[in-house]
Amino acid sequence: MIDRRWLPLNALRAFEAVGKHLSFTAGAQALHVTQSALSRHVASLEVLLECKLVERKPHGLILTPAGAALLPTISKSFDRLQDTMNEILRDGSGLVRTLRVHMPPSFLQHMAIPMLRDFRREFPNIPVDVSSSSVTGVPSRDLDIAVIYDRPRQGDAIRDLLWTVRVTPLCSPELARDSEGLDLAAFLAANELLHVRLDGQPRGFLWDAFAAQAGIGLNTERGLAFDTASLAVQYALSGAGVVLADIHMFADLIASGQLVQPYDTVCEDGHGYYLTFHPEDVTEPGIALFRAWMIERFTGPAKSGAHPVKDL
């Protein structure tokens, strides 16, 4: 017999999404997971209950009698849980666990500080612990949710793409004026290159990728290397070099004129910033609130190129 200690909550959520939409594709989109992951969850629930819950017909999916009996019970139970948890959060009368958030240093310094301030103002009852380290991908520590710098990849974690990195050479206004009249290749050859180190990659990896996309020859062995983009940008602000930086991350410095984009060449280096967390935490109140709150700030009308995609 089924014991509440072993209720398959992820499988129940998956079946509810499929049952409501009568479609694995629409159900996967509703939960922001892959269709294959959704199918596995529904299949595991059918194995547990020893009966079919949905059937594929030529015109689409239908619920079996067992599925039709189970669906409204699941929906009502989840609705009651959601409503009660939201009431507790609104009242501030319940114990809320500390939300452990990780962010890369450059993201934290240039974008997240005002965001975290606003989040705390809106949800003062949710304690937040913030950690930071300059690693590519998911850091090896116990976290609830993380912003990571990484390439697209499949895995068990849910990933929301906040934006795709688009890089261009940036420098101080003084250096740009001193280099007027030079084409891009000559400009980069005449000035010091500033590198940002990536785990497991040679120091010139990002500049090599840019030069290949731009179709120019470039000696990427020279210059200074830094652990974070923020440090490289700070050095560029002093007028002593050219940094290959994300135009979205440092949009405020470009808009203010502190950094200059001397050339129109902008390239995607294959990386992006993702919001990631464990799929079993998709309905945990604090994580769900933080996730929705962050995504809203990167998918508004003014945030071009920040289209969320997910995988499970």
Side-chain angles (χ1 to χ4, degrees):
M1 301 298 292
I2 303 297
D3 189 303
R4 69 171 56 198
R5 291 175 296 176
W6 303 302
L7 284 176
L9 296 181
N10 284 338
L12 291 172
R13 277 194 295 270
F15 169 68
E16 182 196 30
V18 172
K20 281 184 174 180
H21 297 279
L22 291 179
S23 165
F24 281 96
T25 300
Q29 291 173 347
L31 291 183
H32 306 294
V33 300
T34 61
Q35 185 174 331
S36 60
L38 201 72
S39 299
R40 290 196 301 271
H41 280 308
V42 173
S44 69
L45 186 60
E46 290 176 331
V47 170
L48 177 65
L49 296 176
E50 300 179 347
C51 67
K52 297 293 290 183
L53 299 174
V54 296
E55 289 183 352
R56 289 179 169 87
K57 298 292 184 179
H59 60 277
L61 293 182
I62 64 168
L63 294 175
T64 65
L70 182 60
L71 180 61
T73 300
I74 293 174
S75 295
K76 290 177 183 177
S77 299
F78 282 147
D79 286 344
R80 290 187 65 185
L81 282 169
Q82 175 181 290
D83 292 342
T84 301
M85 288 180 170
N86 283 332
E87 287 175 6
I88 293 171
L89 283 172
R90 283 193 294 268
D91 296 341
S93 57
L95 292 175
V96 182
R97 82 180 195 188
T98 298
L99 188 62
R100 298 164 299 176
V101 179
H102 182 275
M103 297 176 174
S106 296
F107 176 88
L108 183 60
Q109 294 171 26
H110 286 273
M111 306 189 78
I113 293 299
M115 293 181 185
L116 289 170
R117 178 198 60 206
D118 293 342
F119 181 82
R120 291 289 298 145
R121 287 174 178 170
E122 191 169 345
F123 304 104
N125 60 314
I126 300 180
V128 180
D129 280 358
V130 181
S131 60
S132 183
S133 61
S134 54
V135 298
T136 301
V138 181
S140 57
R141 63 181 67 188
D142 194 15
L143 301 165
D144 293 314
I145 194 165
V147 175
I148 63 170
Y149 170 79
D150 204 0
R151 291 181 177 273
R153 64 183 75 242
Q154 294 290 324
D156 293 332
I158 293 177
R159 290 188 175 203
D160 301 315
L161 177 62
L162 299 179
W163 80 89
T164 298
V165 170
R166 300 173 67 239
V167 296
T168 191
L170 300 174
C171 65
S172 68
E174 295 79 14
L175 191 148
R177 284 195 296 269
D178 292 342
S179 303
E180 285 182 359
L182 299 178
D183 62 18
L184 176 60
F187 170 73
L188 295 178
N191 291 288
E192 190 160 52
L193 301 182
L194 307 180
H195 304 268
V196 179
R197 297 188 188 92
L198 294 185
D199 293 338
Q201 300 293 347
R203 71 199 307 268
F205 176 77
L206 294 176
W207 275 112
D208 283 333
F210 174 82
Q213 289 191 50
I216 61 175
L218 185 63
N219 174 16
T220 61
E221 294 300 317
R222 57 192 177 81
L224 282 74
F226 297 87
D227 285 335
T228 70
S230 291
L231 292 174
V233 164
Q234 286 298 315
Y235 194 89
L237 288 172
S238 71
V242 182
V243 61
L244 187 64
D246 180 14
I247 58 175
H248 185 73
M249 173 80 74
F250 300 101
D252 57 339
L253 295 177
I254 298 173
S256 68
Q258 297 177 73
L259 277 181
V260 174
Q261 180 186 345
Y263 302 90
D264 293 333
T265 305
V266 178
C267 298
E268 294 185 4
D269 65 7
H271 291 80
Y273 282 87
Y274 297 84
L275 190 67
T276 183
F277 59 97
H278 301 295
E280 58 267 25
D281 291 333
V282 70
T283 57
E284 198 282 324
I287 293 174
L289 274 174
F290 189 81
R291 178 196 190 192
W293 193 91
M294 284 288 289
I295 289 175
E296 182 181 357
R297 274 142 189 80
F298 286 96
T299 56
K303 305 297 185 183
S304 61
H307 305 293
V309 295
K310 291 90 182 174
D311 63 72
L312 180 73

